[in-house]
Structures are given as C-alpha cells and as structure tokens.
Amino acid sequence: MGAHGKEIGAAAPAAEWDAASTPLPADTFARRPDGTIALLAGRSSMGAIYFPVPALCPDTLQPPEEVVPLRGSGKLYAYSAIHVSSGRFKAPYIVGYVDMDEGVRIFSRIPYDARDSLHPDVPVEICFREDVADPGKVDFVFKPQGAK
Amino acid sequence: MRPVVVAGVGLTPFGKFPEKTLADLGVPSVRDALADSGIDRSKIEAAYCGTALGGMMSGQRILRETGLSGIPNINVENACSSSSGAFREAWVAVASGLYDAVLVVGVEKLTKFGGGALPLEPEDWEVGRGMIMPALYAMRAQRYMHEHGVTAEQLAKVSVKAHDHGALNEDAMIRRRFTVEEVMASRPVADPFTLLHCCPSGDGAAAAVICTEAVARQAGARTVKVVNSHLNSGRYLPGFRDMTVPEITVRGARHAYEESGIGPEDIDVAEVHDAFTIGEFLYYEALGFCRPGEAIRLLEDGETSIGGRIPVNPSGGLLSKGHPIGATGLAQIVEIVRQLRGECGARQVEGAKTGLAHATGGGISGYDHGACSIHIFAR
C-alpha cells in the first residue's frame, strides 16, 4: 500500500466485470498486500475529507495532507432504481449515495438483484469488480452488508 | 442601483418542434416582447441570451433574424437557470446605468437530442457512473418520504395540480388533466417517480424587454417592477448533506428576502422549479411558504392551487408547461409579469401584486444544485 497508508479493512471479493462498469482512475484506489482493494480519500490539513482524492483540497488549496484508504463500509443515504437507459447504462439499474464511515458521501451503482434488501440507512459495503482480461481495470458497487 | 422595470414579454409556446431551428423558436418571442413593450428596436442597446444546449452564438443567431444584429450580445449558460441568469445580467446592466434598455431571450431546442434523459457532463464523477437528473431528484424524494412519512401517491398530487393549472394555459406543452391513479400508473422512470412525476423536455423560447422607468414611460409600456434579482451558485459539500433541504435555494431566498424587504408572506404568486414532483415540496419549504415537513399539508389544503393562499406554478409549471431548460427561467418570469398585469385569463391569480420566480439546476457532484436564481416582481 506504500504511501497510501496502513493496511485496514476486510478483504473485498472481486466480482464480475460488466458492460456498465466504469474503470476507476488509477489514483482513486490502492491494493493492499493481500491483493484486496481500497478506495482512497484525501484529508486536508483542516480535516476536511474528499473523495476522489483532489489534487488540491478546496479548503486549503494545498495537496491533501493524508491519503486515507476507506474501510469500505457505510450507510445507504438514498437510492433509486432507474428504468430508462442512459448511454452504456442499460435499464434497469440502481444508483445510490452512501455515507461512508469516514465521513464522505460516495455515489455509485448497486446491483439490481439487491433491490429487495434496500432502504434508507441500511448498512452497505463496497464490492470491487475487476476485469478478468485486464486486472488493472477496477470498478466497484455497493451491496447490503452480508449480501452475497 | 436605479429602478428597473419589465416593459414587455413574449413567449413561444413550448412543445416538440424538431423541424424548427433555434432562431425559429426564439424570434417569435422576441418579436412579441418588443411589440408588447412599445419600445422601438433602435432603443435596445444590448441583448442577453440564456441557453444551456443551444450551441455557439445562440443569441447572435436570433438577433440576425430580428434586426438587432450589431449590438453587444452576451450568451449565458447556467443549466436550468440560464435565461434567468441572463435576466440577472441584463438587470445588472440597466440598474447600474450601463444601458437604458436591453433584450433578454431564453431559448432551447431539446428535440435535437432525440429524447431521453437530459445529457449531462460525462466527465463528472457521478454522471460517469450512471447519474441522470430524474435519479437525483428521485433520491431527494425517497429521503424526504423516509424522513417525513410522505408517500409517492401524495407526491403525485403535485403533478395533478400542475396539470390542472396547465390545462388553462394555451402555451403549455401538456394541456390535459390527470388523476393520482393515472400519474402512478404511467411508466416507471426512476423510483419512486413515474413518467408523470417528471417534466417533459421540449423546445421553446421566452423573451423580455427590460429598461429604466423613463424609457418605459416614454413608450407607454405596462410595466412590472423588478424588486430583486438574486443569483447564486452551489456550495461544494463533499461530506454528508441533507438532500431534503436545498441549501442553494434556502440561501438564495434568505438573501432575496433580506435585500428586498419582502417576506414569503408577501408573495401572492410564485413560479418554482418543479422539474420533478418533489421539487415543489422542497421549494415550498426552502422559499418559506411553509415549515419543513409541512409541504404536503400546504398542497392538500389547496393553498398552492389557483384560488389558494399562495398559488404556485399557475402556468402549469415545468411538469405541464414543459421544460426547454434554457428557456424555462425566463418563461417563469413571463408568467409572473403577465399575472401581475392581470392578463392570465382562466388561470389568473386574482389581485396578485407581488410575484416570485425561482429557477435552479445543474447536476454536479458535491452540489445541491449548480445554480439558482430568484427574482421578485411587483406591480
């Protein structure tokens, strides 16, 4: 993990890559020594936390003082199942905002088959996806904690 | 700053006109606004054109067809607040003494995109991961419903009211009434929204001539005063933010009321940004028409219907009148001006003396909204 901080959090299983996956920019995640992945947030010297890691923190106009690997768990603030296709996002699909334990809100997709387990404030966790053909390509979704 | 008045307004009816050019849409509204004002074209010193997706030189394409080419033109892009933002710039120019009379036009042609959700900026983090505007408002709605115990059927009543009003407006894109059951039975878009919880996108234009009191008096115009013009941008909040409280509108309303000395209790009629049904609930509360959580009572008691205490969106709003985004903000202003002049026929808010127009928009990561304009007018 190198400069990206200490190893934390549980291993997240890699799930299947799909057409709607959006490859994460290389500076938004890091691999732990065991091969699992963590999203990275940036913390300014004033204590504000940003995701993705900004080149300059808006509150200080300086690079982040610390890059924080996120544990990957949080609470679902709100979500919506979308029934109209938009570009490469084929309906139906679900999106949501998750309030991460570290204090930052992250938007992403949620697998459609999880829809019956979703409601505001339900605990969720990050599930990473890797492109089997190109392990450098990584994406993530949120799933209810404990969901398979 | 010196007093500024609206001397004339015009509006090209909203609808789907794929065969028309942007100028075809804009020209009739400009012609009507000029005629309405009685001000000779030679007196118009500058133009301000609001459009979000009209493309380069949108204003110049309209000026070419209206005999106004050659004057300074400023094209303004601010998403759904584009033409209300243009109006703000025009107001600043006249109020500051730079010009005595200017033209404002708002125009949009969304049929060129062929339908579907509004195209957003793909480099944005959320847009690149599947965000569309209906989903953003749907999540606001879901959280509001969760916190205040409101149902999707109760939200649907906003759509019913909007279409009741729009049925009275010959410029509206949709002119038929719907029941709650019909709203809920329309096809799903983004849960909890069905199609009739969402505004129709389309084409259209609006225009206004604004000027000093002296210029208007000389032309014999029927004027409406611009009491306050407020514009702000979203505040970046990367952490947790309350999506049931639209901070940009709350902040804008507070400033507009403080600057004008007018409070929400003084507003007789309002046009607010009901791009989706939840919008009216959020903005009733943000604009101070009721307290947080009480929007449903305001609606169900009929207070925001024509004939109620504070009629909201007598034009039919975005839900019925339509939402050609760059034209919307100025079209709201056109409606308020006509209401204050008593020209709205079957949808007239009787005795309206003070009106408010509110346009907000722009889906960007970390913001409630990108831009918000609030204008207060009085006769």
Side-chain angles (χ1 to χ4, degrees):
Chain A
M1 189 144 270
H4 291 138
K6 63 182 181 180
E7 179 183 342
I8 56 170
E16 191 177 339
W17 190 263
D18 63 37
S21 290
T22 307
L24 289 171
D27 58 357
T28 58
F29 67 96
R31 285 182 192 278
R32 302 183 180 98
D34 65 359
T36 60
I37 303 165
L39 287 181
L40 301 176
R43 193 186 304 279
S44 77
S45 59
M46 300 288 285
I49 188 164
Y50 299 97
F51 177 84
V53 179
L56 297 176
C57 295
D59 58 336
T60 61
L61 280 183
Q62 297 293 322
E65 187 173 78
E66 182 186 12
V67 174
V68 182
L70 300 176
R71 285 188 291 274
S73 55
K75 281 199 307 186
L76 182 62
Y77 179 77
Y79 70 97
S80 180
I82 298 173
H83 302 277
V84 291
S85 296
S86 174
R88 61 197 169 80
F89 296 100
K90 302 303 177 194
Y93 66 99
I94 298 176
V95 297
Y97 282 116
V98 172
D99 289 347
M100 306 301 291
D101 294 343
E102 291 84 355
V104 70
R105 178 171 292 174
I106 295 180
F107 172 89
S108 195
R109 284 173 293 111
I110 299 168
Y112 194 73
D113 59 12
R115 62 190 180 281
D116 293 337
S117 305
L118 301 178
H119 56 80
D121 297 332
V122 70
V124 296
E125 62 189 1
I126 288 175
C127 181
F128 286 95
R129 300 160 174 242
E130 290 194 72
D131 187 346
V132 175
D134 183 357
K137 287 169 66 177
V138 171
D139 186 21
F140 73 97
V141 295
F142 289 110
K143 284 186 173 182
Q145 285 184 17
K148 293 183 179 176
Chain B
M1 293 291 192
R2 57 183 177 170
V4 177
V5 298
V6 180
V9 293
L11 189 131
T12 303
F14 290 2
K16 292 186 183 293
F17 308 109
E19 73 287 357
K20 290 184 185 291
T21 66
L22 198 75
D24 289 340
L25 295 165
V27 167
S29 66
V30 172
R31 177 200 59 206
D32 292 350
L34 287 166
D36 188 38
S37 73
I39 295 173
D40 189 85
R41 278 182 297 179
S42 63
K43 304 275 192 196
I44 303 296
E45 298 169 283
Y48 297 79
C49 177
T51 184
L53 298 159
M56 284 193 284
M57 301 289 106
S58 292
Q60 284 86 340
R61 282 142 62 192
I62 294 168
L63 295 183
R64 181 179 61 189
E65 312 294 327
T66 50
L68 287 164
S69 60
I71 59 175
N73 177 75
I74 298 91
N75 293 303
V76 177
E77 187 283 305
N78 232 354
C80 304
S81 303
S82 292
S83 57
S84 50
F87 187 94
R88 153 81 178 185
E89 290 306 300
W91 173 81
V92 168
V94 177
S96 66
L98 178 63
Y99 300 124
D100 289 335
V102 301
L103 171 74
V104 193
V105 58
V107 63
E108 205 73 78
K109 181 183 173 183
L110 295 180
T111 53
K112 71 180 181 181
F113 297 106
L118 198 63
L120 301 176
E121 178 51 54
E123 74 174 26
D124 183 85
W125 170 268
E126 295 180 358
V127 176
R129 308 190 76 77
M131 178 64 95
I132 56 174
M133 288 306 292
L136 179 60
Y137 272 95
M139 288 189 279
R140 291 174 176 148
Q142 184 194 61
R143 193 70 202 187
Y144 187 97
M145 292 160 63
H146 174 70
E147 294 190 5
H148 295 296
V150 170
T151 66
E153 287 76 10
Q154 288 177 304
L155 283 181
K157 293 179 180 178
V158 173
S159 180
V160 171
K161 174 186 73 75
H163 289 96
D164 283 349
H165 290 176
L168 305 173
N169 183 357
E170 61 187 15
D171 294 326
M173 190 167 167
I174 300 174
R175 295 199 62 199
R176 59 160 290 200
R177 292 180 163 87
F178 295 93
T179 65
V180 167
E181 292 72 25
E182 288 172 314
V183 173
M184 295 306 297
S186 58
R187 68 177 169 84
V189 172
D191 297 344
F193 293 156
T194 62
L195 186 66
L196 288 170
H197 282 265
C198 310
C199 63
S201 66
D203 312 321
V209 174
I210 73 172
C211 59
T212 61
E213 291 174 320
V215 170
R217 196 179 311 115
Q218 195 171 30
R222 298 185 62 213
T223 59
V224 165
K225 294 176 199 156
V226 185
V227 176
N228 187 260
S229 175
H230 191 83
L231 175 71
N232 60 7
S233 65
R235 191 166 277 163
Y236 176 44
L237 299 169
F240 304 164
R241 66 183 189 277
D242 185 349
M243 290 177 68
T244 70
V245 179
E247 76 81 22
I248 189 171
T249 295
V250 170
R251 188 158 40 94
R254 186 175 69 244
H255 291 162
Y257 291 144
E258 284 174 2
E259 289 164 8
S260 65
I262 284 174
E265 68 282 359
D266 301 315
I267 304 297
D268 298 316
V269 57
E271 288 278 311
V272 310
H273 200 85
D274 62 331
F276 301 89
T277 49
I278 186 62
E280 275 214 11
F281 279 27
L282 299 180
Y283 304 136
Y284 289 171
E285 297 173 9
L287 293 166
F289 299 154
C290 65
R291 288 183 293 192
E294 294 184 349
I296 181 60
R297 201 171 74 191
L298 200 69
L299 177 76
E300 290 185 335
D301 288 352
E303 298 208 56
T304 54
S305 295
I306 295 169
R309 177 173 64 84
I310 167 65
V312 173
N313 292 328
S315 70
L318 284 56
L319 286 165
S320 174
K321 189 175 62 184
H323 186 26
I325 54 177
T328 287
L330 194 53
Q332 293 174 316
I333 290 171
V334 170
E335 176 71 11
I336 292 298
V337 168
R338 288 176 172 169
Q339 287 285 348
L340 298 184
R341 298 197 315 199
E343 299 172 345
C344 288
R347 67 177 193 283
Q348 179 64 45
V349 175
E350 293 303 327
K353 293 179 179 172
T354 305
L356 179 149
H358 159 262
T360 184
I364 305 175
S365 298
Y367 285 102
D368 167 54
H369 266 313
C372 177
S373 64
I374 296 174
H375 287 91
I376 299 174
F377 300 90
R379 67 177 160 107

